[in-house]
Amino acid sequence: LAARATRQMHRLADGRIVTALDIDDQWRSSLVLVDPVTRSELALDDHVFPLSIDTRRPDEDGMITYAVSDGDRSGIYLARLPPPTP
């Protein structure tokens, strides 16, 4: 993870991390949710603009927003994060 990580990371109240990985030359990345205990990664989306990731709401209602640049899929997305595993 460290070799692919960026400064565009957001630690949630439950300790998980939402981060952009593998930024390409067009400033698009993979968006993943990382469990720091198990080091497991859950891919959320790709072709995401790293600076667009907004995680101000996940602790309230589990929602994040981000922008995607990928042809017909291009746009602003609102997504609900999965709950942490017990």
Side-chain angles (χ1 to χ4, degrees), residues 9-19 34 36 55 58-59:
M9 63 170 274
H10 308 275
R11 186 175 303 276
L12 306 177
D14 61 24
R16 295 179 300 165
I17 298 168
V18 176
T19 189
V34 180
T55 59
D59 298 325

Side-chain angles (χ1 to χ4, degrees), residues 28-54:
R28 295 178 304 183
S29 66
S30 298
L31 179 63
V32 299
L33 181 63
V34 180
D35 182 325
V37 175
T38 64
R39 296 185 179 174
S40 64
E41 297 178 14
L42 173 63
L44 301 174
D45 210 334
D46 57 8
H47 298 99
V48 173
F49 285 115
L51 298 177
S52 72
I53 303 166
D54 180 0

Side-chain angles (χ1 to χ4, degrees), residues 6 52 70-71:
T6 68
S52 72
D70 186 25

